[in-house]
Amino acid sequence: MNFPVLDVRNLSISFPTDAGIVRAVQDASFTLAAGETLGIVGESGSGKSVTSLATIGLLPKSVQVTGEIWFHDPRSVSAEPVNLLGLPAGDRRTYRGGQISMVFQEPMTSLNPVFTCGDQVVEAILLHAEVSQEEAQKRALDLFREVKLPNPEAMMNRYPHQLSGGQQQRVMIAMALSGNPAVLIADEPTTALDVTIQATILELLREIRDRRGMSILFITHDMGVVAEIADRVMVMYRGRIVETANVYDLFAQPQHPYTKGLLSCRPRPDQQLKRLPTVADFMQVQTNSAGQLEILAKTLDSNQTETLWSEVLISERDNRYHSLLQQKPLLSVRNLTKSFPIRTGLFGRKTMLNAVDDVSFDVYPGETLGLVGESGCGKSTLSRVMLRLIEPTSGEVIFDGQSVFNLNAAQMRRLRREMQIVFQNPFGSMDARQSIGAALIEPMVIHNIGNSRDDRWQRAIALLERVGLDSNAMNRMPHEFSGGQQQRICIARTLVCQPRFIICDESVSALDVSVQAQVLNLLKDLQQDFGLTYIFISHDLSVVKFVSDRIMVMNQGKIEEIGAADAIYNTPQQDYTRQLIQAIPDTRLEDLQARQTQRSAKVNSFRS
């Protein structure tokens, strides 16, 4: 077969807004071959998801879409290609879900909470195939087996909330496969998942693709994920395609400065850089005389290059590690347990689940202790118990010589100035009806910080400037900022109280890798400037290793192991830690080349 399954030509997408027309995608052209996986990468707002929604016909009627999207069924060589954009809405529905299907980022919002998982997949099968209810039930069960759901017969009768995030995504993949599509669009399908679950979903998609001979349009902002699954990569920036290449060539010799920035800003666990490069280090964006954006590559001198890519010396890391441990601990956790009642069995017998199970460790002044583990291991529960946001079942937390659990309400309020937390979702952490200035001044009023309103206002502006924003933010609302800017505001609000100890609970997990690099660099700078002590919680071991002095690994409420960051990564003692390390996406060129050779043989076999 010498034709593409998808042939997108001069696609442009415009959204009408109160401020005028916004061009989300501009003159995009690309192809997707039979049996191929094309990765589309870029930051939020680059046009990735909008392009996929236009392909499957899910954009609102008010959106203006021009260009051509040609679909050619690879299983029917004699069939004529069809321009999907030229079809009436009714005819287009015959292709959506059948020939072309989609898996979205957040499975829980895509599944109906009032129907069982089996019923929802059966409904999709009946929509695309003229079969009986009994046959549809059988096919749904076969699909559950194909996507490797545990105990598929039981899963047919379970509701979405009874499944884990990875299991929910497998149900969504089964639903997407129900019409036996030629093209599967996967829009950030692993972003919300732990690295271990992410690895299993990527492996599942590879198996299904090869077994079915299916093409995949895989959308992500994570270059590591692209390296694991894509044959070719298309890089988008502000609605334009800036580079397209096969995956090995893109990683070995990126041509566009934006691509170079994306590849460089993700932490690599085999390195320990002093600072992470960011996209802004590689390119400069300006507007020409015609009002068009121009992207210029920055020329870095030797001093800038050394600053961006200089590694922390092993001796320097060792000296810092040993000097930290020679201090008196700032925070000590002793035999901490937090149990929750759950009901199990046919008659709902009440039992206790230990979310945190007899945990003990110390945190030293000025250090960053990385806390890593999968969802449900007890990381976030531990952080909330330490700050006494929830009460413990047993155990003790000692902060600077005083027992946290023995303090009364007034004493606890004073202590909260010293102990703060930055949450994963910055927008959910702020009052949507409160201006940024009011959000920063409120904790100063509560804790009697500052002499007057004007003094507090100036303190808030100084902190905003310190985290990379300006005074104009004071009178604006949270929804007016990007995710990275919102997280910077939350960090500034945390610093208002002048704390010594901050817990960062998945504080960069929801951010693009380029914005993530900026926030990680900011956290390191603030630690040095303000003498802060961090517990940094994440499921991403690459990020944890970059930011941490020591790493503590949790599994099922217990500490698996704790030690220097380099030692945990290079010589892990526990099998669970090794599994976390093995699940990190592999971007080494030799492994990329080996995977691409194997994939080329499979694609050529399918096309023949």
Side-chain angles (χ1 to χ4, degrees), residues 133-152:
Q133 181 78 21
E134 183 180 358
E135 176 62 22
Q137 290 275 355
K138 181 178 179 299
R139 290 190 184 186
L141 186 58
D142 289 340
L143 285 171
F144 277 18
R145 293 191 181 106
E146 184 176 7
V147 299
K148 299 182 179 179
L149 277 167
N151 196 356

Side-chain angles (χ1 to χ4, degrees), residues 275 422 426 430 436 440 458-474 481-497 499 502 504 511 515-527 529-530 532 534:
R275 294 184 65 80
V422 180
M430 294 186 282
I436 302 307
L440 294 178
Q458 294 304 319
R459 286 171 182 257
I461 290 175
L463 284 172
L464 282 176
E465 291 175 346
R466 183 61 192 85
V467 299
L469 299 173
D470 57 41
S471 59
N472 293 331
M474 291 288 286
F481 296 89
S482 68
Q485 290 171 327
Q486 289 171 0
Q487 197 61 287
R488 288 173 184 267
I489 292 167
C490 288
I491 293 171
R493 185 179 60 180
T494 298
L495 295 175
V496 157
C497 295
I502 298 176
C504 301
L511 304 178
V515 180
Q516 175 180 277
Q518 297 171 18
V519 175
L520 290 174
N521 288 338
L522 173 64
L523 289 172
K524 281 203 162 191
D525 292 342
L526 293 174
Q527 182 177 45
D529 293 348
F530 294 98
L532 298 172
Y534 293 139

Side-chain angles (χ1 to χ4, degrees), residues 41-250:
V41 298
E43 298 171 282
S44 297
S46 63
K48 309 183 303 294
S49 295
V50 173
T51 299
S52 69
L53 292 173
T55 303
I56 203 169
L58 288 178
L59 290 174
K61 293 181 179 179
S62 60
V63 177
Q64 183 181 1
V65 182
T66 61
E68 300 173 349
I69 301 176
W70 292 91
F71 172 77
H72 195 161
D73 189 348
R75 293 162 294 196
S76 179
V77 180
S78 60
E80 291 295 322
V82 177
N83 180 15
L84 299 177
L85 289 183
L87 294 176
D91 293 341
R92 197 164 186 183
R93 278 196 294 268
T94 63
Y95 288 89
R96 182 170 57 239
Q99 300 282 23
I100 306 173
S101 61
M102 191 165 185
V103 177
F104 295 95
Q105 175 177 349
E106 181 49 65
M108 193 59 186
T109 59
S110 303
L111 293 168
N112 193 323
V114 302
F115 290 101
T116 66
C117 297
D119 285 342
Q120 295 184 60
V121 176
V122 167
E123 181 184 21
I125 294 171
L126 293 172
L127 185 64
H128 297 292
E130 295 182 1
V131 297
S132 65
Q133 181 78 21
E134 183 180 358
E135 176 62 22
Q137 290 275 355
K138 181 178 179 299
R139 290 190 184 186
L141 186 58
D142 289 340
L143 285 171
F144 277 18
R145 293 191 181 106
E146 184 176 7
V147 299
K148 299 182 179 179
L149 277 167
N151 196 356
E153 291 83 1
M155 290 292 178
M156 289 284 289
N157 298 314
R158 289 186 183 172
Y159 291 89
H161 72 273
Q162 296 177 296
L163 277 60
S164 68
Q167 290 170 344
Q168 291 170 1
Q169 197 61 286
R170 289 174 187 268
V171 172
M172 284 303 304
I173 294 171
M175 191 180 300
L177 297 176
S178 61
N180 192 26
V183 176
L184 176 67
I185 300 175
D187 188 1
E188 302 271 12
T190 63
T191 301
L193 304 178
D194 295 328
V195 285
T196 50
I197 301 173
Q198 172 182 275
T200 62
I201 294 295
L202 292 177
E203 177 61 28
L204 174 65
L205 289 173
R206 285 192 293 262
E207 290 179 8
I208 293 172
R209 173 197 63 193
D210 296 339
R211 182 168 58 250
R212 289 177 172 245
M214 185 175 63
S215 303
I216 297 180
L217 205 61
F218 195 98
I219 299 169
T220 183
H221 64 261
D222 192 331
M223 298 298 283
V225 171
V226 164
E228 288 283 343
I229 196 167
D231 302 309
R232 284 190 305 129
V233 184
M234 183 174 85
V235 183
M236 295 189 72
Y237 178 72
R238 294 192 181 183
R240 295 184 180 275
I241 299 172
V242 297
E243 184 168 0
T244 303
N246 72 59
V247 64
Y248 178 82
D249 291 342
L250 190 92

